[in-house]
Amino acid sequence: ILPADWDILYLGFSDRGERTYVPSHPDDELLLPVDLFRPEYGFHTHAYALTMSAAHVLLSNLPVTGPVDVWLADNQWFGLNIYCSVVANEGWQGQGACLVSQRKHDTHSDIAQSGREQG
């Protein structure tokens, strides 16, 4: 599902601006219908994956000024290839729901979330 050139993949975030969607391959067999797009601006980041080369780029641009997700977006992600993934046709106005939620009640996962009361 991921293009070969990906550097950072957002799994849980908010975005604004235009989304440039990446065509999916009909051969992709996924458990969830996932849309992949390139964001114009991202914030409220709470889950992402990055390549080792992306980590090196980010480390070479330290120190961070402000929240790290805003710092990245304000600096156009330092030229890295950014993609976002969402569950297709879910969420606000059917624009896609984050694959990873911050809200414990939004998920049926058996994976415990750190930093939250277990109840």
Side-chain angles (χ1 to χ4, degrees):
I1 183 172
L2 281 175
D5 70 345
W6 79 279
D7 290 311
I8 298 177
L9 173 66
Y10 283 90
L11 302 166
F13 59 93
S14 294
D15 69 303
R16 70 173 184 230
E18 294 296 317
R19 291 179 171 185
T20 305
Y21 285 90
V22 177
S24 61
H25 293 116
D27 297 338
D28 290 342
E29 292 184 26
L30 304 172
L31 296 176
L32 290 171
V34 174
D35 283 337
L36 192 65
F37 65 91
R38 300 192 67 148
E40 189 172 303
Y41 193 89
F43 56 101
H44 294 155
T45 303
H46 55 272
Y48 59 92
L50 65 150
T51 63
M52 183 69 75
S53 60
H56 288 292
V57 169
L58 299 181
L59 288 171
S60 71
N61 284 286
L62 291 176
V64 173
T65 304
V68 69
D69 50 358
V70 173
W71 173 72
L72 289 169
D74 284 349
N75 288 286
Q76 287 81 47
W77 294 278
F78 300 100
L80 295 170
N81 292 308
I82 308 303
Y83 294 93
C84 297
S85 55
V86 293
V87 179
N89 305 313
E90 297 286 333
W92 185 73
Q93 294 186 345
Q95 293 183 357
C98 294
L99 290 178
V100 177
S101 174
Q102 287 191 67
R103 297 182 202 105
K104 188 173 185 174
H105 67 273
D106 284 352
T107 181
H108 300 288
S109 173
D110 60 355
I111 299 171
Q113 297 183 20
S114 63
R116 299 189 185 240
E117 288 185 34
Q118 302 295 315

